[in-house]
Amino acid sequence: TMVVADVKLFSGSGSRYLAEGIADFYGQKLGDMEITHFSDGEFQPVIKESVRGAFVFIIQSTCPPTNNLMEMLMMIDAAKRASADTVVAVIPYFGFARQDRKDRPRSAIGAKLVANLITSAGATRVLTIDLHAAQIQGFFDIAVDNVYASPVLLGDVWKHSYPDMVVVSPDVGGVVRARALAKRL
């Protein structure tokens, strides 16, 4: 007989509205987490309930400000230190993803650094949406699920029948997705 661990959902400050919607959809409350702010600007996430042996989802985008990234890393660390069995970093917006290659001398590869930080913090899996470039999945030493938003977007577009629609990409990295979307439309 397979025993399923407790599933717990936690949210950082950067994706609270989305996390509440996910929790509501699954008929459960978000986990009890408190983020203490200190007078020098530092903060400390504290999980206020047991996660021992649990399957923990931490929902947090890593878009600016960089506090969102640091907050997520600290929440992952807190969950692992509290003996969570599995920690899944759910990252709706993966910040620093445009830095996916060394395109100039003496430049950092930000996406690889963020991947290393998430893995080092203790995440056992990452779930993200529409990575800037598919190769970022290879930057991780843990499993990555990169899901695509286009089916949801297509459904909405077909439902509303927008007239004279144009599909554009904000940069070269999104051209492949934009073309695929335009072709399906």
Side-chain angles (χ1 to χ4, degrees):
T1 306
M2 184 175 158
V3 177
V4 178
D6 272 344
V7 173
K8 298 190 181 250
L9 306 172
F10 292 92
S11 173
S13 307
S15 297
R16 184 77 183 190
Y17 180 76
L18 174 63
E20 288 170 348
I22 292 169
D24 187 52
F25 182 83
Y26 284 103
Q28 72 181 77
K29 291 183 178 185
L30 284 176
D32 190 10
M33 164 122 13
E34 175 182 85
I35 300 175
T36 303
H37 292 269
F38 301 101
S39 60
D40 66 355
E42 288 185 19
F43 53 88
Q44 181 182 43
V46 178
I47 297 172
K48 306 290 279 185
E49 63 185 81
S50 175
V51 294
R52 182 175 300 278
F55 199 103
V56 173
F57 289 88
I58 295 175
I59 304 160
Q60 174 80 329
S61 287
T62 60
C63 52
T66 54
N67 281 0
N68 288 330
L69 172 60
M70 193 64 188
E71 190 177 283
M72 182 192 63
L73 295 171
M74 293 174 77
M75 290 187 309
I76 292 168
D77 182 68
K80 287 307 281 187
R81 290 177 188 277
S83 300
D85 184 55
T86 301
V87 179
V88 179
V90 179
I91 309 171
Y93 178 85
F94 190 94
F96 302 94
R98 286 182 173 85
Q99 300 175 39
D100 60 352
R101 66 191 175 285
K102 187 172 169 106
D103 58 354
R104 297 182 286 212
R106 299 171 301 283
S107 65
I109 303 175
K112 173 64 174 158
L113 176 59
V114 171
N116 289 345
L117 290 168
I118 291 168
T119 303
S120 293
T124 49
R125 184 175 210 97
V126 170
L127 171 64
T128 190
I129 302 168
D130 285 330
L131 276 172
H132 180 68
Q135 77 229 23
I136 294 172
Q137 294 175 77
F139 292 175
F140 286 89
D141 293 326
I142 57 176
V144 176
D145 296 305
N146 178 33
V147 298
Y148 300 99
S150 56
V152 174
L153 183 59
L154 283 167
D156 184 70
V157 169
W158 288 330
K159 183 173 119 184
H160 289 95
S161 302
Y162 297 109
D164 303 322
M165 186 164 43
V166 176
V167 178
V168 297
S169 173
D171 56 26
V172 175
V175 170
V176 171
R177 286 190 309 276
R179 280 191 182 131
L181 183 66
K183 185 177 180 180
R184 296 215 39 214
L185 289 171

